[in-house]
Amino acid sequence: MQVAATAVGGGLPVPPMEFCQLKATETIRPADDPHTRNKRQQILEAAARQFSACGFHGANMRDVAAAAGVLAGSIYYHFESKDALFVAVHGAAIDMMTNAVRAAVAGIADPWDRLEEAAAAHCEALNGDSAFVGVIAPIFPVTIGALRSQLTAQRDAYESMFSDLIGKLELEADIDPKIFRLHVLTALNGTKFWYGPGGMAPSEIGRQLIRMLRRRATRDPGIV
Amino acid sequence: MQVAATAVGGGLPVPPMEFCQLKATETIRPADDPHTRNKRQQILEAAARQFSACGFHGANMRDVAAAAGVLAGSIYYHFESKDALFVAVHGAAIDMMTNAVRAAVAGIADPWDRLEEAAAAHCEALNGDSAFVGVIAPIFPVTIGALRSQLTAQRDAYESMFSDLIGKLELEADIDPKIFRLHVLTALNGTKFWYGPGGMAPSEIGRQLIRMLRRRATRDPGIV
Amino acid sequence: MQVAATAVGGGLPVPPMEFCQLKATETIRPADDPHTRNKRQQILEAAARQFSACGFHGANMRDVAAAAGVLAGSIYYHFESKDALFVAVHGAAIDMMTNAVRAAVAGIADPWDRLEEAAAAHCEALNGDSAFVGVIAPIFPVTIGALRSQLTAQRDAYESMFSDLIGKLELEADIDPKIFRLHVLTALNGTKFWYGPGGMAPSEIGRQLIRMLRRRATRDPGIV
Amino acid sequence: MQVAATAVGGGLPVPPMEFCQLKATETIRPADDPHTRNKRQQILEAAARQFSACGFHGANMRDVAAAAGVLAGSIYYHFESKDALFVAVHGAAIDMMTNAVRAAVAGIADPWDRLEEAAAAHCEALNGDSAFVGVIAPIFPVTIGALRSQLTAQRDAYESMFSDLIGKLELEADIDPKIFRLHVLTALNGTKFWYGPGGMAPSEIGRQLIRMLRRRATRDPGIV
DNA sequence: GATGAATGAGTTTTCATTCAT
DNA sequence: TATGAATGAAAACTCATTCAT
């Protein structure tokens, strides 16, 4: 199931609020759904959707529970607290993206090609069919102090992959690789706010970003 | 007073939570402060800081009030609701940024130079000394449905400036100007999540982004 | 209004549970009651009754609120938390007892007489018409760690009055004054569990305890 | 394992909360422990410790279960409800104390000596090495209505032993035997709130109370 | 006998909002 | 204009209890 923002007014659109407004019951999957592995997983997925759509503070446990087909109290059998649930979702999302990116770059040699594949995979995971990983992007600013260190730790390993990828590029002397990496990642994450179905495919959007940054001189020095 | 995120762990850092943890009283300016223009303005500024730091749902009226040196109930004389307060802050921020960008590009002819100045101004306003406009970036995902249309309307005029700026560029054929614009704006806004004092200046960070994207062929065709 | 335990079965009775079972509405005093000083005081009194009757964990904020004629949320305007409310009640109770005991011993010279008056006052305050001070006795065992230090501090001053009173007695050599004080105070507090109207007056019960302990040899050596 | 209150600040100390703060797992005895008789007994003991330390409302089934090495649901195979569990613990405690007191006074003739031995035994059982009987004292005030009659019934037999013991004393005419008994029992129970290891032994504390009350005239008229 | 998973009513607490003064 | 006090709905979380396995 895919929930995506539709660009409104042609500009940088405000993000999708569908879940926040959706009656929780509409998103309940029946217990016998073949895709249902177990309750913990269902809760994790429901939480991913709610956090994705509403942010940490905007999401509430009752809606998560309803979306997972359980009562609010039942979540606490599986997760210690809202914080812990968020950390679990975030960790799972990071894991998925790590796997996706790793698989995407495997067997590719050219540094710019590797980065392009990584960006495509990141964007695809973030906006693709599962959209489980939506938490990655939007919750940044509503994260509370207590969660910071845990989330940072989870992200570090993921982002070091991009550091490595970018470290292999031959960037112009006036480009700081760290600034480069941060701009790339935030632009990629930013797609969560404006991507909508019907337009360019997520992976292609990711690719475009890297192509914009790829200097012709580097890419195809002979012609220039 | 400036509150900025410090990059933690070398990766994409979680954003600054200083305001959320600051005792409200510490941010109260005495009513006779020479900088105090009036209560409405003070509330607006306090709200900008809180919304910036905590997001829409994470911020609360009592802290805004305390930071403005009034009681919670008093806000309602000046603003109809939390939503209205947010829209007012957002509108004021957009106005400031519009002015800043307009002033920055005035008198500059080259399209890429114009974009670079615009990006520098955007970044400076977002992360600079006043940082009033912080609301622009982080609260996207926690915005509730009822606010969407109002916020979108406020943004449209601002973003059309960037549309115009980018429309003047001679982009490669395989680059979609709309995707280009969205990537630029989200990357620029993303600086809110990782910029910290002590590193590169905000305006230089904005400039770097455009320089990364500026094709040598386009910028300086004679040499290539 | 007085709520007291009635001894059941002739033994050490379990304490009164009337308040726990009473419908909250039955204890609401109308807002125009002449005895009503203000809401904070009313909440304090209602809390004293609930904590007295049910203990710290057994009492709940909703019942306290209802008994004070406000909604549960309103309590938090006056008190930061349940803990803080309890500490406030406890402190007020200690103050009342301190005053009562101080007044009772004023102008009396004989050490045993002074202790007897103090015991009478303590018992009277604990079980008398107001019974506000009921918290003193029963909540001991349900006190949570975080409250311990605050409650202990409040008690120390009060109990040092008894230390002083007892220090003036000429106790037999084999009687430890500290053990003596602790036995006296717990016995006095214990009356909260078994005192009931219709029997001996509280002050007389307190007096009896001291008389039981007062050695004839000490009191009236000439006759023996 | 013994958990006792340490007097804090020199006054009537708030009671021990060690168990409430102890991680449940730390108190689990492995199932093959030679001291383990059976699960029911383990649950009873764990419950005694929790109720003792936290009171009826403050104790919770999950901690009792963890301390007994079972899951919360499993308790319900052995006991119908939390109330029933409490009644069982209370009954067992009363039985132990009854046996202890009966054994202590056996073969002793002098009424005051008999009472002194009974008090020593009561205090020893309450604060001694096993301290299983801790429930006796502190939960009084948090007992809920439904339990009253059952608890009272269990206590009656125990307390009638003290009635008998006291009935044999030749008390002064102005001392009411019932008041005397109640003061003695509550003072004895009160030791639970202030006794701590390192000071006087529990049995000696009990003895001291009786010695304080034992009139020299009555005890040893010839000498005086 | 025991467990894992859930329940649902209840807990304390928060917070946007109102309103008489 | 601003405040002190209150509201009431909703939040996160707890906990005794149930029940199929």
Side-chain angles (χ1 to χ4, degrees):
Chain A
M1 189 175 68
Q2 181 184 334
V3 175
T6 35
V8 179
L12 241 194
V14 287
M17 281 301 110
E18 281 74 11
F19 272 123
C20 283
Q21 293 165 333
L22 222 49
K23 284 290 90 185
T25 47
E26 301 179 52
T27 66
I28 296 181
R29 280 196 198 163
D32 57 333
D33 182 309
H35 293 286
T36 298
R37 271 163 301 202
N38 60 40
K39 270 286 145 69
R40 190 178 194 278
Q41 190 61 23
Q42 275 179 272
I43 291 170
L44 220 41
E45 280 166 23
R49 286 195 296 268
Q50 295 291 337
F51 284 135
S52 251
C54 311
F56 179 79
H57 287 119
N60 71 35
M61 300 298 267
R62 204 151 25 211
D63 286 353
V64 169
V70 297
L71 292 199
S74 307
I75 296 180
Y76 291 83
Y77 180 78
H78 300 282
F79 300 95
E80 213 180 32
S81 65
K82 189 185 185 184
D83 279 23
L85 177 58
F86 186 82
V87 170
V89 169
H90 188 266
I94 292 283
D95 286 349
M96 286 185 195
M97 300 200 65
T98 302
N99 293 337
V101 170
R102 215 166 256 159
V105 301
I108 300 188
D110 179 73
W112 279 99
D113 286 345
R114 285 171 65 84
L115 182 60
E116 193 171 318
E117 291 306 319
H122 181 109
C123 234
E124 172 68 30
L126 202 57
N127 300 289
D129 283 354
S130 122
F132 185 87
V133 296
V135 254
I136 297 298
I139 41 63
F140 271 139
V142 285
T143 306
I144 44 173
L147 294 179
R148 276 192 82 166
S149 57
Q150 294 176 78
L151 301 185
T152 303
Q154 293 180 334
R155 274 159 193 262
D156 278 354
Y158 181 73
E159 298 187 2
S160 72
M161 291 197 325
F162 276 82
S163 292
D164 292 348
L165 252 19
I166 288 165
K168 297 287 193 297
L169 304 177
E170 291 177 21
L171 294 173
E172 298 290 316
D174 63 342
I175 301 299
D176 180 327
K178 187 184 157 201
I179 303 291
F180 184 92
R181 185 188 81 237
L182 292 166
H183 273 322
V184 166
L185 280 168
T186 49
L188 249 19
N189 283 340
T191 58
K192 194 83 230 292
F193 301 145
W194 56 265
Y195 166 76
M200 193 178 288
S203 59
E204 179 57 19
I205 291 175
R207 261 178 238 286
Q208 281 247 344
L209 176 67
I210 304 306
R211 246 182 275 140
M212 287 173 197
L213 293 161
R214 194 168 182 168
R215 302 283 179 116
R216 179 159 306 159
T218 306
R219 184 164 96 227
D220 197 355
I223 292 182
V224 176
Chain B
M1 188 178 71
Q2 182 184 333
V3 176
T6 34
V8 179
L12 242 192
V14 288
M17 280 300 110
E18 281 73 10
F19 271 125
C20 283
Q21 292 164 333
L22 224 49
K23 283 289 89 184
T25 47
E26 301 179 51
T27 67
I28 297 181
R29 280 196 201 163
D32 57 333
D33 184 307
H35 295 285
T36 298
R37 272 163 303 199
N38 60 43
K39 273 286 144 67
R40 189 178 196 278
Q41 189 61 24
Q42 275 180 271
I43 291 170
L44 220 42
E45 280 166 24
R49 286 197 296 268
Q50 295 294 131
F51 284 135
S52 236
C54 311
F56 179 78
H57 286 118
N60 71 307
M61 298 297 268
R62 208 153 9 212
D63 284 355
V64 169
V70 298
L71 289 202
S74 309
I75 295 180
Y76 289 82
Y77 178 79
H78 301 282
F79 301 94
E80 208 181 37
S81 64
K82 189 187 186 184
D83 281 22
L85 176 58
F86 185 81
V87 170
V89 169
H90 188 267
I94 292 284
D95 286 350
M96 284 186 196
M97 299 198 66
T98 302
N99 292 338
V101 170
R102 213 165 258 158
V105 301
I108 299 189
D110 178 74
W112 279 100
D113 286 346
R114 284 172 66 81
L115 182 59
E116 194 171 316
E117 292 306 319
H122 181 108
C123 235
E124 173 68 29
L126 203 56
N127 301 290
D129 282 355
S130 122
F132 180 95
V133 297
V135 251
I136 298 297
I139 40 63
F140 272 140
V142 286
T143 307
I144 46 174
L147 295 179
R148 277 192 80 169
S149 56
Q150 295 177 76
L151 302 185
T152 304
Q154 291 180 334
R155 274 158 195 262
D156 277 353
Y158 180 72
E159 299 186 1
S160 73
M161 290 196 327
F162 276 83
S163 291
D164 294 348
L165 249 22
I166 288 165
K168 297 289 191 295
L169 304 177
E170 290 177 22
L171 292 174
E172 300 290 315
D174 62 342
I175 301 299
D176 181 326
K178 185 184 158 201
I179 302 291
F180 185 92
R181 186 189 80 240
L182 292 166
H183 273 323
V184 166
L185 280 168
T186 50
L188 249 18
N189 282 338
T191 58
K192 193 86 229 292
F193 301 144
W194 57 264
Y195 166 75
M200 196 176 284
S203 59
E204 178 58 19
I205 291 174
R207 261 178 238 286
Q208 282 246 344
L209 177 67
I210 304 307
R211 247 182 274 141
M212 288 172 197
L213 294 160
R214 193 167 183 168
R215 303 278 180 121
R216 180 162 305 161
T218 306
R219 183 165 100 224
D220 197 357
I223 293 181
V224 177
Chain C
M1 188 176 70
Q2 184 184 332
V3 176
T6 35
V8 179
L12 240 195
V14 287
M17 282 300 111
E18 281 73 12
F19 272 124
C20 283
Q21 293 165 333
L22 222 51
K23 283 291 89 185
T25 48
E26 301 177 52
T27 67
I28 297 181
R29 278 196 201 163
D32 58 332
D33 183 308
H35 294 286
T36 298
R37 272 163 300 200
N38 60 41
K39 271 285 144 69
R40 188 178 195 278
Q41 191 60 24
Q42 275 180 272
I43 291 169
L44 221 42
E45 280 167 24
R49 286 195 296 268
Q50 296 291 336
F51 284 136
S52 247
C54 311
F56 180 79
H57 288 120
N60 71 33
M61 299 297 269
R62 203 146 32 207
D63 286 353
V64 170
V70 297
L71 292 198
S74 308
I75 295 179
Y76 290 82
Y77 181 78
H78 301 280
F79 300 95
E80 212 180 32
S81 64
K82 188 185 185 183
D83 280 23
L85 177 58
F86 186 82
V87 170
V89 169
H90 188 266
I94 292 283
D95 285 349
M96 285 185 196
M97 300 199 65
T98 302
N99 292 338
V101 169
R102 215 165 257 159
V105 302
I108 300 189
D110 178 74
W112 279 101
D113 286 345
R114 285 171 66 85
L115 181 60
E116 193 171 317
E117 290 307 317
H122 181 110
C123 236
E124 172 68 29
L126 201 59
N127 301 289
D129 283 354
S130 123
F132 183 87
V133 296
V135 254
I136 298 299
I139 41 65
F140 271 141
V142 286
T143 306
I144 46 175
L147 295 179
R148 276 192 82 167
S149 57
Q150 294 177 76
L151 302 185
T152 303
Q154 292 180 335
R155 276 159 192 260
D156 278 354
Y158 181 73
E159 300 187 359
S160 72
M161 291 197 324
F162 276 83
S163 293
D164 292 348
L165 252 20
I166 289 165
K168 297 287 192 297
L169 304 177
E170 291 177 22
L171 294 173
E172 300 289 318
D174 62 342
I175 301 299
D176 180 327
K178 187 184 159 202
I179 302 291
F180 184 92
R181 185 187 81 238
L182 292 166
H183 274 320
V184 165
L185 280 169
T186 50
L188 249 18
N189 284 339
T191 58
K192 193 84 228 294
F193 302 145
W194 57 264
Y195 166 76
M200 194 177 286
S203 60
E204 178 58 18
I205 292 175
R207 261 178 238 285
Q208 282 248 342
L209 175 67
I210 303 306
R211 246 181 276 139
M212 288 172 198
L213 293 160
R214 194 167 182 168
R215 304 276 179 121
R216 179 160 307 161
T218 305
R219 184 165 99 227
D220 196 358
I223 293 182
V224 176
Chain D
M1 190 175 72
Q2 180 183 334
V3 176
T6 35
V8 180
L12 241 192
V14 289
M17 279 300 111
E18 281 73 10
F19 273 124
C20 282
Q21 293 164 334
L22 226 48
K23 283 288 90 182
T25 47
E26 301 178 53
T27 66
I28 297 181
R29 278 199 201 161
D32 57 332
D33 183 306
H35 294 285
T36 299
R37 271 163 303 200
N38 59 42
K39 272 286 144 69
R40 188 177 197 279
Q41 189 61 23
Q42 274 181 272
I43 292 170
L44 220 43
E45 280 167 22
R49 285 196 297 268
Q50 295 294 129
F51 285 135
S52 239
C54 312
F56 180 79
H57 287 119
N60 71 307
M61 298 298 268
R62 202 140 31 199
D63 285 354
V64 169
V70 298
L71 290 202
S74 309
I75 296 179
Y76 290 81
Y77 179 80
H78 301 281
F79 301 94
E80 207 182 37
S81 65
K82 189 186 186 184
D83 280 21
L85 176 58
F86 185 82
V87 170
V89 169
H90 187 266
I94 292 284
D95 286 350
M96 285 185 195
M97 299 199 65
T98 303
N99 293 338
V101 170
R102 215 165 257 158
V105 301
I108 299 190
D110 178 74
W112 278 101
D113 285 345
R114 285 172 65 83
L115 181 59
E116 193 172 317
E117 291 305 319
H122 181 108
C123 235
E124 173 68 29
L126 203 56
N127 301 290
D129 283 355
S130 123
F132 179 95
V133 298
V135 253
I136 298 299
I139 40 64
F140 272 140
V142 287
T143 307
I144 47 174
L147 295 179
R148 275 192 83 169
S149 57
Q150 294 176 77
L151 301 185
T152 303
Q154 291 179 336
R155 274 158 194 262
D156 277 354
Y158 180 73
E159 298 186 1
S160 72
M161 290 196 327
F162 276 82
S163 292
D164 292 348
L165 251 21
I166 289 164
K168 296 287 191 297
L169 304 176
E170 290 177 22
L171 293 172
E172 300 289 316
D174 61 343
I175 301 300
D176 181 326
K178 187 184 158 201
I179 303 292
F180 184 92
R181 184 188 80 238
L182 291 166
H183 273 321
V184 165
L185 280 169
T186 50
L188 250 17
N189 283 338
T191 58
K192 193 84 228 293
F193 302 145
W194 57 265
Y195 166 74
M200 195 178 285
S203 58
E204 177 57 18
I205 291 174
R207 260 179 237 286
Q208 282 246 345
L209 176 67
I210 303 308
R211 246 182 275 142
M212 289 173 198
L213 294 160
R214 195 166 181 169
R215 301 282 180 117
R216 181 161 304 163
T218 305
R219 183 164 98 225
D220 197 358
I223 292 182
V224 177

